[in-house]
Structure formats: C-alpha cells, structure tokens
Amino acid sequence: MPHRNIRKPSIGRRVAVAGVLFAFAIVVVIVTALVLSALGEVSHNVNALDDQRSLETTTGALKTFQNQLAATLNDYAAWDDAADHAYSPDGSEWLINNYGDMTVNSELFDTAVLIDSERHILLAYHNGSPVNWTLTDYFGDGLADMIARVEGMSVGAVPEASGFVKTRDGIAATGVALVRNKNGLLSSADGERRYLIFARHLTPEKVDGLAQTYVLNGLSLLPADSPAAFFVNIVNPRGTVLGMLTWHSQMPGDVSLRDVKPRILTAVGLIGLFLLALLIIGTAALRKLKADEALARHELLQDRLTGLHNRPGLFLGLNERLEQSQGDDSYVNLIYLDLDGFKEVNDSFGHGAGDLLIKGVAAALKVMVPKNALLARLGGDEFAIALKGNDARIAGRKLCEDLLALFSEPFMIGERVAAIGCSIGTAVSKAGDIDGEELLRRADMAMYEAKENGRGRFMAYEPYMDTRREEKNQLEADLKYAIEHDEISVVFQPVVNTLTRRISGVEALARWNRAGYGPVSPDVFIAAAESSGLIDQLGLAVLQKACHAATEWPHVKLAVNVSPVQFRNPFFAAQVLSILEEHDIPPARVMLEMTEGYFIHHPERAGTAIEKLKQIGVSIALDDFGSGFASIGYLRRFGFNRMKIDKSLVVALDEGGRSLEMLTATVALARSLGIPVTAEGIETEDQAAILQLCGCDELQGYLFAKPMPADQVTTMLAQQETPVRQLKVS
Ligand code: C2E
Ligand code: CA
Ligand code: CA
C-alpha cells in the first residue's frame, strides 16, 4: 500500500504569498510611475505649447501696436485737409486742433510732431500740451533713420515708416509720414516737405491693456537684458534692443496635472486596493481549500466507526515511528489484536450490537494505551497498537497482559452481556530494521499463532511461525486437491454389543494418504479442513462413501462424524437426507457424532440444528464425552440419542484414583436419563470388563477391531458366528 507523507502547510507557502504581494507592490509602483511620468510629459508639452502661444501672442501684440500707430499715422498724413493746412502759413490752428490736441487721452497716439524738410519742428505736442524739445533730445537717434528712409523714398512708394524708438518717456511705437493729399500728391509745388511724426508709448497702462486683451499673465515691460524666462525683445529699426516684454508662464499643464494628480493617485490606489483585496480573498480561498484538503486527508486516515486511525493511518504513523527509531536507535513494538468470538456476537445479536461492541472496545483501548502510542482499527474486529521507545518491548508485554485482563471481563452491549476474548500477536523492530508492512505481517502471524494455540493469549513473532504458516497453506492446498480428486478414503471401525460382542455398528473415519508425505492424521487434516472452509465438502464426501459402503451391511448401524463447522450450514440436514435417500439408507440406521464444542458456545443454534436432523430421522451422539467441559446437563438439554465416552477416561482407569467412580457415576447418570453409552478406545479385556460393569451397552476399540476398509468389514460380518475377539485384525 503506498503511503504518502502528509506535509504541513510550509514556510514555502508564506514565502510565495509574500512574493506575490511584493510583485503586486512593484506592479502598482511601476504603473503609478508610468502614469505620472506620462502626465508629466503631457503637462510639460502643454506648458511648452502655452509658452509658445504667449510668445507668438506677445510678438503679435507688439506688431499690432506698431501697425495701429502706422495706420493712424497714414490716416492723419494722407489727408487732403492736412495737406492744405500743413503747407499753409496760417494752418497752425488747424494743426493744433487736429494733431496737437489729439494727443491727449488718445488711444492712438500720445505724441505728434510736424517738421519741415530741414527737420525743424513746426509743432510738437505730447499728451495734449505743446512741448519744447528737439527731435534728438526727445527721440534720441532712433528717429533720424526713419525720417531719412521716408525722405529717400522713390516716387510711388508710400512715404511712411514706423518702428520702435526709445524716447525720454520710454519705449514708443513711432512713425514718420509725409503729409500729402489722399491721392499722394502734394499741394505746393515748391518742393517743401512736411513730415508728421506720431508716437505712442508703451505705458504701464497700455501694457496692462495688452495683457488683458491677449490674456498674457504678468505682462510687463523691462529694460533690455533683464533676467526673464519668457520675453520678447523690442527692437528699433537698427536692431538695437530697447527693452523687453516679459510675462509669467501660466503652466496650464502643471495646473491640470495638479488637478488630476490626486484623482490619478486615488484611482491607482483603488486599483492597488482592489488587487490587494483580490489577493487576500484568493489567499483565504486557498487556505480554506488547503484546510478542506487536510480534513479530507484526515478523514481518509480515520476509521469511521471508532474515530481511531484506519489502516492507511496506521501505516502513516507506523512509518513515522520507524523512521524516528532509526534515528534514536529505539524499538517499535507493534501489537496486533483480534477479538475472539466477535463473529458470534454479530451473528446472534445483530450488526448494530457488533458495532456497539467495537466502539466499546475502541473506547477501552483508548484509555489503556499510553498517550504517545498509535492506536488503529484495521477493519472488522482487528486493532493495532504501535509503541515506540527504548522500553517498547517491556511496555508492550505489560500492555498485552492488561489487555488480556480487560477481555477476561465480559463487555456490556446496551442491556446485553457479551463474553469476548482476544488473541494478540506482537512484532518488534529495532532501529527501523523492519518496514511497516513486514512488521504488521509478523504481528498478524504471531496473532494467528496465538489463536491456533488456544486463543486468549499473546505471542511474540518467531521466524518458525512463517514456516508453520507456509506448511499449513501447503497442507490446505493439497487437501483441497485431494478432496476435489476423490483422494479421501473412508475406513470403518466396528462397534460391538457389550454382551454379545457382535458387530452392532460401524464408525466411518476419514483417511488421507497425502501424496509425497504418506498418511496424515485426521486430527490434523480435519482441523485444516475446518479452518480453511473445506469441511462441508469433506464431510459430505465421507457421508457419501460411508453410505455407499453401508448398503452392503443392511443390518449394521452407521456412525459418521460431523464437525461443528458443518452445523452452521443451514442446508446441512437437507444435504444429509438427500445422500441417505440416494443410497436408500433408512435414517434410523444412521448416527451423527458431534463433539461438545459447538453446543457449549452456541447452545441455541446447536439446539435448532439438532432438531432439524432429528426431524429427518437420524440419531445424534455426543462424541468424546469427558475430554472437555460437557456436563450431563447437555445430554438432557439437547436430547442426544447416545453418549460416547472418550478414550482418555478409559485410559485413566489404569491410573487408578477416583476415575472408576467418576466413570461409573457418569454412565449411571446417562442411563438414568435413558441415554445409552458407548465406550471408546477399549484396548484390553480389563477395560472391556469394567465398562461392561459400568453399564456401557456398546464398546469400541482396538481390542475388537481397528478401523478397516469396507471389504474387511464385509468379511468380518460374514464371520459373525465366531466371537469377534478371534477375528481381530492385526
Ligand atoms: P473420534 O471420532 O473419537 O474417532 C475415534 C478415534 O479413536 C479414531 O482415530 C480411531 O482410530 C481411534 N481409536 C479407536 N479405537 C482405539 C483404541 O482402542 N485405541 C486408540 N488409541 N485409538 C483408538 P482417528 O481415525 O485418528 O480419528 C481421529 C478423530 O478425527 C476422530 O475422533 C474424529 O473426531 C475425527 N474424524 C475422523 N474422521 C472424521 C470425519 O469423517 N469427519 C469428522 N468431522 N471428523 C472425523
Ligand atoms: Ca467419533
Ligand atoms: Ca470419539
């Protein structure tokens, strides 16, 4: 039988769980990092895009600021009225009204200057007031280039120029335009030129206005080369940086990231929690499964009725102990216990009572065996106990004695009392030198020997037991073969009438000449047939042969031995009747001899069986009276037709003592019950004389005849006229 070691839930599992948890943590961290870095990138890109937009917007705003001025200048310079008044000596008022006064609170320009070809200032206004400065004073050198450019323009080009210059009041979009008619021509013909100069300063208010219009955060005007992350340079037509517009990056990506980050982290956290919950649930489910499995295994190793270990459970524990004993050089003692008479309890009280008895025995054993011992039920009525230790042999012996003492008392099964015994076999292993299976086999063998030796005892395994068992097996095999091949023969021992000494009957006795061994004593092979279940077949074969022979001697009674085992067969009476009818033998001629054993142990069933046999008309003799425990009471109870006194009582006569009185009393008692008595084993005339005096009406023994083949019986009967004594067969 294969036995697997059952492992306890190991450290390995915990390590695995920790590993999975760790992997989960890593996955969650990596996912979080990936998501955050992706978001970071998106936010960075969004920031960059926004910065780019701000740059373009600011550049555009500056350009628009300059273009606006240029467009205004164009409106005011290319104007027929202006062309009239600018060149007229009395145009001053018009010019003040339309140019000078317009510089106040104007969205379009804050400075207006009119100059002539010599660049003399004819009119200069700033914020609605006339001012008194020179062009270079006020505009620095930034304006001169523009004026020069307009002056030098070819015919057909628009005589205007614009750009940023730095004035005393700050940076301003500035433009220069030739004052002319709308159609581009001048009114005067003398070649005089008037140039109109407009400027509009980037005042803080204007910068704020731009910031609002273009949605530029923190837009401000700073001197050139100020430290700033985001800026657009304001450059004059010569390419000189005059200043810079700077702004704060709005970092919309960062803002969004700040917005979504908690949500992302929450989501990742939730996923992490979900996975963790999944892991926890999974682990719990796994643990439950393992527990279920362990329980199932435990049940697999347990006997259902008693809760003790079963056979696999025993082997598991036994092998563990053997392994340990190998380590510490100790003994393992296996005690194998089989109940005697359990089958009978089962048969007569029923299986329910049988189960109760087994439970009771199990409970008693639990109390008796030491705590660290292994206790198992191997099925049916067999139990095993394994003890381990340096004193396992002595402790085992003591336990066996206690067990026998326990079984010497009757067991209570509910209201009923059952007398059961037990037979015990033990086997020992030292330092694990014998494996579990072999140990159990040896203990079983020893138990079997204990049963063979009369039950109710314990025996320790000895190697000879193996040999004996083997021999017995071989004997049984040969006997089976012999029965099946009609090799069992029958001899007949005459029984004589005490007074006449003539043959009144014969007893059929089985004989077996075992091939290769010679004759085997019936005491041996009958017992073997009984224990191996061959007795029914053998008994009927003997009856068959005896009846066949007896047809030759119609006036002689025929006695046939019946084994108690045959009584259990419910068809026995019917089978006997059928054989008698087959040979036309009247049942009244036939006597079945039975030994006492069955009557003592199973009085009820024996009574029933005898009744059945009596009904078919055969008579029944109690054989071997005086060899066992049968008392005269049995004779009356079962209504035996005859009693046969065992030869041991006859032999005892020679030894003197009180045996004669006992014999006399026994026969007298039987006779007083109306039961005739036969004396067996008569070998001497003295014995014959005494038993005749005692009152035995029939005698049997070597003195008269030994068991003989049927034809010799025929011969003897033919010579009946002469006294039997002289016909004695040697
Ligand atoms: P048993 O029924 O008591 O048979 C009488 C035994 O005593 C026979 O031994 C017989 O040979 C022996 N015997 C007879 N007279 C004398 C004598 O004067 N001195 C001595 N020493 N022995 C004498 P056997 O044939 O060896 O049979 C032994 C037992 O085997 C029988 O005892 C009987 O119980 C059993 N047996 C024999 N044949 C059968 C059978 O066919 N069926 C069953 N069930 N049992 C049988
Ligand atoms: Ca007999
Ligand atoms: Ca006998």
Side-chain angles (χ1 to χ4, degrees):
M1 187 180 311
H3 314 292
R4 273 178 300 137
N5 274 331
I6 292 180
R7 287 210 192 91
K8 295 181 189 107
S10 62
I11 300 172
R13 213 185 76 201
R14 258 177 276 157
V15 169
V17 169
V20 173
L21 265 174
F22 185 66
F24 265 143
I26 295 247
V27 167
V28 168
V29 166
I30 289 177
V31 166
T32 313
L34 278 176
V35 169
L36 289 182
S37 93
L39 282 173
E41 192 140 323
V42 168
S43 105
H44 175 81
N45 288 344
V46 169
N47 288 343
L49 277 174
D50 191 65
D51 293 339
Q52 183 65 27
R53 178 198 74 89
S54 301
L55 181 76
E56 283 165 9
T57 307
T58 311
T59 312
L62 274 178
K63 194 82 203 142
T64 307
F65 185 67
Q66 186 192 330
N67 289 346
Q68 243 174 24
L69 182 96
T72 310
L73 184 62
N74 177 265
D75 278 352
Y76 282 79
W79 183 8
D80 295 350
D81 282 355
D84 284 348
H85 293 96
Y87 291 91
S88 148
D90 44 50
S92 165
E93 194 185 331
W94 185 95
L95 291 171
I96 290 170
N97 284 341
N98 288 283
Y99 291 159
D101 291 346
M102 296 306 281
T103 58
V104 67
N105 290 335
S106 163
E107 263 303 298
L108 302 170
F109 54 98
D110 53 43
T111 308
V113 180
L114 188 72
I115 57 169
D116 61 13
S117 307
E118 305 306 316
R119 302 189 186 181
H120 291 133
I121 292 172
L122 304 179
L123 172 109
Y125 267 79
H126 176 67
N127 285 344
S129 311
V131 287
N132 190 18
W133 33 246
T134 67
L135 285 183
T136 345
D137 271 355
Y138 189 71
F139 290 102
D141 54 2
L143 185 66
D145 290 353
M146 262 187 271
I147 299 171
R149 211 160 75 227
V150 177
E151 282 172 348
M153 274 180 179
S154 54
V155 177
V158 179
E160 290 175 5
S162 68
F164 283 97
V165 298
K166 192 154 190 173
T167 72
R168 276 210 316 240
D169 289 318
I171 294 169
T174 309
V176 180
L178 177 67
V179 181
R180 62 200 186 271
N181 283 307
K182 190 103 181 138
N183 55 17
L185 299 175
L186 297 176
S187 302
S188 70
D190 58 2
E192 180 58 39
R193 300 277 191 274
R194 299 281 189 269
Y195 294 100
L196 181 63
I197 300 167
F198 276 179
R200 170 143 178 73
H201 284 85
L202 272 175
T203 56
E205 296 79 47
K206 184 61 203 172
V207 172
D208 284 351
L210 288 180
Q212 270 180 20
T213 310
Y214 294 99
V215 197
L216 291 163
N217 188 27
L219 190 70
S220 56
L221 182 62
L222 294 181
D225 296 330
S226 300
F230 305 99
F231 62 92
V232 171
N233 283 329
I234 305 169
V235 183
N236 72 7
R238 283 187 182 179
T240 310
V241 179
L242 306 175
M244 53 204 264
L245 276 177
T246 69
W247 65 92
H248 304 315
S249 173
Q250 301 203 30
M251 301 275 194
D254 285 10
V255 173
S256 309
L257 184 60
R258 221 173 302 130
D259 272 3
V260 294
K261 209 169 175 176
R263 275 181 268 166
I264 297 281
L265 287 177
T266 310
V268 171
L270 280 177
I271 290 173
L273 277 179
F274 175 71
L275 290 182
L276 191 71
L278 217 67
L279 183 73
I280 290 170
I281 291 169
T283 314
L286 198 76
R287 196 170 304 151
K288 165 116 177 49
L289 235 102
K290 289 241 175 196
D292 287 353
E293 190 193 337
L295 188 74
R297 271 198 208 174
H298 178 71
E299 274 175 8
L300 221 66
L301 299 175
Q302 206 185 37
D303 173 52
R304 275 170 183 268
L305 183 63
T306 60
L308 303 181
H309 292 288
N310 59 12
R311 188 175 277 267
L314 171 76
F315 272 109
L316 198 73
L318 189 57
N319 287 337
E320 261 174 31
R321 282 167 174 74
L322 286 171
E323 240 169 68
Q324 288 165 6
S325 76
Q326 214 165 13
D328 60 15
D329 208 32
S330 61
Y331 294 94
V332 173
N333 191 351
L334 185 67
I335 299 171
Y336 197 119
L337 187 150
D338 185 290
L339 304 188
D340 297 329
F342 174 70
K343 193 177 176 344
E344 284 70 21
V345 170
N346 237 356
D347 287 352
S348 44
F349 295 163
H351 287 280
D355 283 356
L356 275 180
L357 178 62
I358 291 293
K359 276 193 196 173
V361 170
L365 292 181
K366 265 186 216 167
V367 174
M368 290 184 69
V369 302
K371 263 221 171 71
N372 55 353
L374 185 69
L375 175 59
R377 177 179 174 227
L378 300 179
D381 57 350
E382 292 166 13
F383 296 86
I385 302 158
L387 304 178
K388 183 199 157 287
N390 290 321
D391 62 344
R393 286 176 306 169
I394 300 157
R397 173 172 284 268
K398 172 83 179 59
L399 181 59
C400 286
E401 279 162 5
D402 293 349
L403 288 171
L404 290 178
L406 170 77
F407 282 94
S408 66
E409 301 288 328
F411 273 81
M412 294 296 296
I413 311 172
E415 301 286 281
R416 286 182 269 223
V417 179
I420 53 160
C422 77
S423 300
I424 303 172
T426 68
V428 174
S429 149
K430 184 177 194 298
D433 60 350
I434 299 161
D435 72 17
E437 308 233 0
E438 174 62 10
L439 202 58
L440 188 70
R441 191 194 71 79
R442 290 186 179 186
D444 182 22
M445 188 73 66
M447 186 277 292
Y448 180 82
E449 260 328 289
K451 274 213 191 295
E452 289 284 285
N453 280 275
R455 305 177 156 194
R457 66 193 63 217
F458 67 91
M459 291 188 79
Y461 170 81
E462 303 267 358
Y464 78 82
M465 293 173 179
D466 287 338
T467 335
R468 190 165 325 165
R469 175 73 79 92
E470 253 165 53
E471 283 170 6
K472 188 166 185 283
N473 288 346
Q474 192 54 52
L475 181 89
E476 284 175 7
D478 288 357
L479 179 61
K480 187 166 160 47
Y481 182 92
I483 295 168
E484 280 163 4
H485 293 81
D486 200 22
E487 286 174 15
I488 302 295
S489 60
V490 178
V491 292
F492 300 89
Q493 185 177 31
V495 177
V496 301
N497 178 284
T498 308
L499 295 176
T500 63
R501 302 271 170 112
R502 289 162 69 94
I503 298 175
S504 56
V506 289
E507 178 180 0
L509 294 162
R511 289 294 177 266
W512 178 31
N513 195 3
R514 187 183 178 192
Y517 289 85
V520 181
S521 160
D523 289 321
V524 173
F525 74 80
I526 294 295
E530 283 175 345
S531 66
S532 61
L534 294 167
I535 192 66
D536 285 308
Q537 227 181 322
L538 177 82
L540 292 178
V542 169
L543 182 66
Q544 185 81 254
K545 290 191 178 212
C547 288
H548 178 72
T551 48
E552 292 288 315
W553 328 303
H555 303 295
V556 174
K557 292 192 291 177
L558 175 65
V560 178
N561 293 286
V562 170
S563 161
V565 181
Q566 290 175 268
F567 264 33
R568 292 199 200 129
N569 178 358
F571 306 110
F572 181 58
Q575 286 167 338
V576 170
L577 185 62
S578 129
I579 291 171
L580 296 186
E581 281 171 352
E582 192 185 320
H583 296 93
D584 217 4
I585 307 266
R589 248 186 88 190
V590 175
M591 182 157 72
L592 301 181
E593 298 186 6
M594 296 166 198
T595 49
E596 62 191 20
Y598 196 63
F599 304 104
I600 292 176
H601 293 296
H602 310 287
E604 276 93 19
R605 295 162 129 240
T608 320
I610 287 177
E611 256 334 289
K612 270 195 192 167
L613 289 167
K614 280 186 152 181
Q615 268 167 22
I616 68 170
V618 297
S619 37
I620 312 289
L622 177 61
D623 204 354
D624 298 344
F625 186 86
S627 67
F629 304 97
S631 63
I632 293 291
Y634 282 93
L635 292 174
R636 189 168 27 199
R637 174 162 180 190
F638 296 108
F640 288 109
N641 304 100
R642 178 170 285 279
M643 175 174 104
K644 289 184 86 170
I645 290 180
D646 192 60
K647 54 182 172 286
S648 60
L649 293 191
V650 177
V651 171
L653 286 176
D654 298 341
E655 290 153 18
R658 294 175 52 81
S659 46
L660 176 61
E661 287 162 46
M662 255 185 61
L663 199 61
T664 314
T666 303
V667 178
L669 214 59
R671 285 174 53 113
S672 73
L673 293 170
I675 297 169
V677 181
T678 304
E680 290 186 304
I682 308 292
E683 293 186 358
T684 63
E685 278 296 349
D686 286 352
Q687 291 167 342
I690 292 171
L691 286 147
Q692 180 173 4
L693 277 175
C694 283
C696 295
D697 67 333
E698 284 182 346
L699 302 175
Q700 185 181 2
Y702 294 171
L703 177 66
F704 311 106
K706 284 194 168 180
M708 60 186 75
D711 52 351
Q712 285 187 29
V713 176
T714 310
T715 313
M716 270 189 83
L717 286 170
Q719 296 165 349
Q720 275 278 356
E721 298 314 310
T722 15
V724 172
R725 199 195 321 184
Q726 285 153 36
L727 290 173
K728 191 170 65 176
V729 181
S730 61

